[in-house]
Amino acid sequence: MALYSEKVMDHFRNPRNVGQIDDADGVGEVGNAKCGDIMRMYLKVDENQVITDVKFNTFGCGSAIATSSMATELIKGKTIQEALELSNKAVVEALDGLPVHKLHCSVLAEQAVRAAVKDYYDRHGIAYDPEDFREMDEDELHEHVGH
Amino acid sequence: MFVYADNAATTSVSKTALDAMLPYLTENYGNPSSLYSFGQKAAEALQEARETVAACLNADPREIYFTSGGSEADNQAIVSAARLGARKGKKHLISTKFEHHAVLHTLNKLEKEGFEVTLLDVHEDGVVRLEDLEAAIREDTALVTIMFANNEIGTVQPIAQIGALCREKKIPFHCDAVQAAGHMAIDVKAMNIDMLSISGHKFHAPKGVGALYARKGTVLTNIIEGGAQERGKRAGTENVAGIVAMAAALKESCEHMEENAAKIIPMRDKLFAELSKIPHSKINGSLEKHVPGTVNMCFEGIEGESLLLMLDDAGICASSGSACTSGSLDPSHVLLSIGLPHEVAHGSLRLSIGEYNTMEEIDHIIETVPKVVSYLRAMSPVWDELEKGQRPHLI
């Protein structure tokens, strides 16, 4: 059996929405280099709070790149509210599953989206509950996925 | 093009080894413990294999114990020395920070049983210092276990000097020679080695067979209890075909050692020379004291697993010490032991070349790796920060 599903390999080999957005409305970065994965997500948001463009940069393993790519696909064209509802589970399902020891990558992808939205809120003076945007440290990330 | 560049992980079975073993799977399948001549034919083959392996290591055939592989040999050697030491009130064990897990995990287990373990530093060049060992030796030291050559970075340890020091101090010395056997000359007598582990599949024998050399007079503790095979020290019907293959493969490797090295070293050196041209790359471990085939390098700003997956797509089999390839949070303990920061160790690549590789294959690697590194760097936020000066280059 291959390590990754066909979908994961497709998103790894042909990642969607790679790059940066110079005039982004929100940028979020999660993870750290010491632990071997960092995701940075850029959002372009219109006046109706619709995400019109999204790009990512990722340092990490195959599943880190694939989950970033899938997360961008899942939120592109959606509203900010919908993006906040994106769960790591949805990312995993859309990728036809991930190995157990790679599930934290999907949490990181979810966290990257949230961090970018928080930055968008901050830049635009939109009020929010800080508890909704608490960052997980790496240990919590791994605990969150039960490994 | 398919390029197998992971010979430190395992090797293909040579034709010599395969031809030698096949009759013991088909017509001569007898049990060497059986009395009748059909079984005794297998016993003879076993004896011949024992003589061959012994000759390759300059040991006596009675000092060779066949095992399931290097890990079992390591386990048995360490546990044996620890049990013997404990009986004499000696419960201190010395090893290095970058041993194989077969050694480190066995030491951990003994530590939990009350042994004290000292792991020697291997410095930035990946080589143990004799003075460090000398300083670590105590009255109650029961064993020194140090690998011949490191499996990840390929650095070779001063085994003869370590052996001489241990002999002088009357401390048993075990050497995990899994990466060296068949590739470097081993003389257990001249090097004063008391116990030594080898694994067949690292030198073109099948997987699942290895040997422990234990100098005459060494007291061995069984890891596997049962029948009286291997002079009562390792129970279980012998893997006759595997053992015959291992002996044939070791003999062939030892007979062609210089010739193979002369073929492998230029390929390895070309890899080092060309891949070092990648900016912010680093060669890991001393090049002076090195097994012929192992190349270990780090590329800043990328992660090893994605590098391996892309190389796989280009037909290249390699390995990495990144955390993601090990399934743990930390990158390889070997790379950390030579002082690499975590973020650099994550971007490591090991290519291990054998005599079956060709210069065309090396050229394919040299053509592919820089492209993959550039591609991954282009999407890496770490590389972006390094390039913009927001993060200091570490290599």
Side-chain angles (χ1 to χ4, degrees):
Chain A
M1 200 194 89
L3 174 63
Y4 293 127
S5 70
E6 279 296 317
K7 265 253 177 75
V8 172
M9 286 311 293
D10 176 39
H11 276 260
F12 169 70
R13 289 187 180 113
N14 311 293
R16 287 39 153 194
N17 305 309
V18 176
Q20 304 186 357
I21 300 176
D22 290 336
D23 59 341
D25 296 305
V27 181
E29 187 174 301
V30 293
N32 73 66
K34 203 169 168 259
C35 295
D37 33 33
I38 292 189
M39 291 180 192
R40 193 194 286 165
M41 210 154 277
Y42 300 82
L43 301 179
K44 195 80 194 138
V45 183
D46 73 7
E47 63 282 7
N48 300 316
Q49 293 207 341
V50 171
I51 298 167
T52 54
D53 199 9
V54 48
K55 297 268 189 228
F56 80 91
N57 270 183
T58 287
F59 160 84
C61 60
S63 64
I65 291 169
T67 53
S68 312
S69 167
M70 182 52 87
T72 61
E73 276 222 312
L74 292 173
I75 63 167
K76 200 171 177 175
K78 300 281 167 60
T79 65
I80 284 289
Q81 260 319 311
E82 286 169 321
L84 283 175
E85 281 157 24
L86 176 78
S87 69
N88 77 299
K89 237 182 176 167
V91 175
V92 174
E93 274 165 21
L95 286 169
D96 293 339
L98 278 178
V100 175
H101 67 284
K102 298 290 185 179
L103 286 174
H104 74 276
C105 291
S106 66
V107 182
L108 212 56
E110 175 199 304
Q111 296 282 309
V113 171
R114 299 182 73 80
V117 170
K118 178 177 178 288
D119 184 55
Y120 163 76
Y121 282 168
D122 286 339
R123 289 188 197 199
H124 294 77
I126 299 168
Y128 58 85
D129 180 356
E131 256 308 295
D132 291 345
F133 293 95
R134 203 174 57 82
E135 275 182 46
M136 287 187 199
D137 63 27
E138 197 79 11
D139 285 341
E140 274 182 280
L141 265 181
H142 286 259
E143 250 166 51
H144 188 74
V145 296
H147 110 100
Chain B
M1 186 186 265
F2 175 77
V3 182
Y4 185 75
D6 204 14
N7 288 277
T10 194
T11 60
S12 63
V13 174
S14 68
K15 189 174 183 304
T16 306
L18 184 66
D19 287 348
M21 81 187 287
L22 282 176
Y24 296 93
L25 295 171
T26 52
E27 63 260 39
N28 298 326
Y29 56 83
N31 187 324
S33 298
S34 300
L35 173 97
Y36 41 78
S37 53
F38 183 61
Q40 286 308 300
K41 223 184 241 179
E44 275 164 37
L46 214 52
Q47 177 56 21
E48 231 175 89
R50 207 180 299 283
E51 284 164 16
T52 304
V53 170
C56 291
L57 305 172
N58 193 24
D60 187 277
R62 284 167 302 182
E63 297 173 318
I64 303 298
Y65 300 83
F66 293 119
T67 66
S68 63
S71 292
E72 188 192 325
D74 284 343
N75 273 255
Q76 188 165 14
I78 295 167
V79 168
S80 296
R83 297 284 174 258
L84 182 67
R87 285 205 287 277
K88 298 177 181 169
K90 296 183 174 186
K91 298 189 82 173
H92 178 233
L93 309 164
I94 299 175
S95 189
T96 76
K97 287 182 180 166
F98 75 166
E99 294 297 310
H100 190 273
H101 284 133
V103 168
L104 289 179
H105 289 178
T106 305
L107 294 173
N108 283 346
K109 184 177 82 173
L110 291 164
E111 215 168 12
K112 283 179 194 145
E113 292 177 18
F115 285 83
E116 244 185 279
V117 176
T118 301
L119 296 181
L120 301 174
D121 199 356
V122 290
H123 303 265
E124 259 178 59
D125 57 2
V127 181
V128 162
R129 302 293 187 270
L130 216 58
E131 54 268 31
D132 290 351
L133 171 61
E134 200 159 6
I137 290 175
R138 308 190 324 206
E139 281 293 306
D140 65 338
T141 302
L143 174 73
V144 171
T145 171
I146 294 177
M147 68 202 323
F148 203 111
N150 184 267
N151 50 312
E152 289 186 37
I153 59 174
T155 54
V156 175
Q157 307 308 307
I159 293 303
Q161 289 96 309
I162 293 168
L165 178 64
C166 291
R167 188 59 56 87
E168 183 201 318
K169 305 273 185 191
K170 299 190 169 61
I171 299 167
F173 170 41
H174 165 250
C175 178
D176 171 356
V178 165
Q179 291 293 331
H183 307 287
M184 305 202 80
I186 298 174
D187 183 329
V188 289
K189 286 198 180 77
M191 293 173 165
N192 289 305
I193 298 168
D194 297 307
M195 289 183 280
L196 179 119
S197 309
I198 67 170
S199 176
H201 74 109
K202 307 292 189 185
F203 49 80
H204 303 294
K207 294 154 191 68
V209 60
L212 171 64
Y213 151 81
R215 192 163 68 95
K216 199 168 163 259
T218 305
V219 182
L220 290 182
T221 299
N222 283 48
I223 300 289
I224 298 174
E225 304 287 351
Q229 291 88 355
E230 300 301 296
R231 291 177 299 291
K233 294 301 169 194
R234 202 280 185 184
T237 300
E238 301 87 341
N239 174 5
V240 179
I243 290 165
V244 166
M246 177 169 70
L250 186 60
K251 182 163 182 265
E252 187 179 44
S253 296
C254 290
E255 282 172 356
H256 297 91
M257 200 174 279
E258 281 178 33
E259 188 187 318
N260 289 342
K263 192 178 174 225
I264 296 166
I265 289 171
M267 293 194 275
R268 175 197 78 187
D269 288 348
K270 191 172 185 186
L271 282 173
F272 275 132
E274 295 300 318
L275 298 184
S276 291
K277 291 179 183 166
I278 296 174
H280 301 288
S281 61
K282 182 186 186 303
I283 292 171
N284 297 319
S286 159
L287 286 187
E288 277 165 50
K289 296 157 185 154
H290 217 90
V291 287
T294 304
V295 169
N296 194 307
M297 295 185 67
C298 282
F299 305 103
E300 204 176 11
I302 63 165
E303 193 280 329
E305 192 211 77
S306 40
L307 174 62
L308 295 189
L309 290 170
M310 300 221 58
L311 291 180
D312 186 24
D313 278 351
I316 300 167
C317 305
S319 74
S320 168
S322 85
C324 276
T325 57
S326 69
S328 80
L329 278 178
D330 288 319
S332 134
H333 69 287
V334 173
L335 299 176
L336 297 180
S337 78
I338 58 167
L340 292 184
H342 278 66
E343 43 272 67
V344 174
H346 284 303
S348 75
L349 173 67
R350 180 187 73 180
L351 298 158
S352 42
I353 305 305
E355 65 269 28
Y356 298 162
N357 287 111
T358 64
M359 214 38 120
E360 287 70 39
E361 293 175 349
I362 299 305
D363 290 338
H364 178 58
I365 296 172
I366 288 167
E367 203 179 304
T368 309
V369 173
K371 283 187 204 161
V372 172
V373 170
S374 298
Y375 170 79
L376 291 172
R377 280 178 172 172
M379 74 161 89
S380 163
V382 174
W383 184 250
D384 184 49
E385 287 172 20
L386 288 164
E387 284 290 275
K388 287 177 179 158
Q390 294 160 352
R391 178 190 281 275
H393 280 289
L394 298 172
I395 57 174

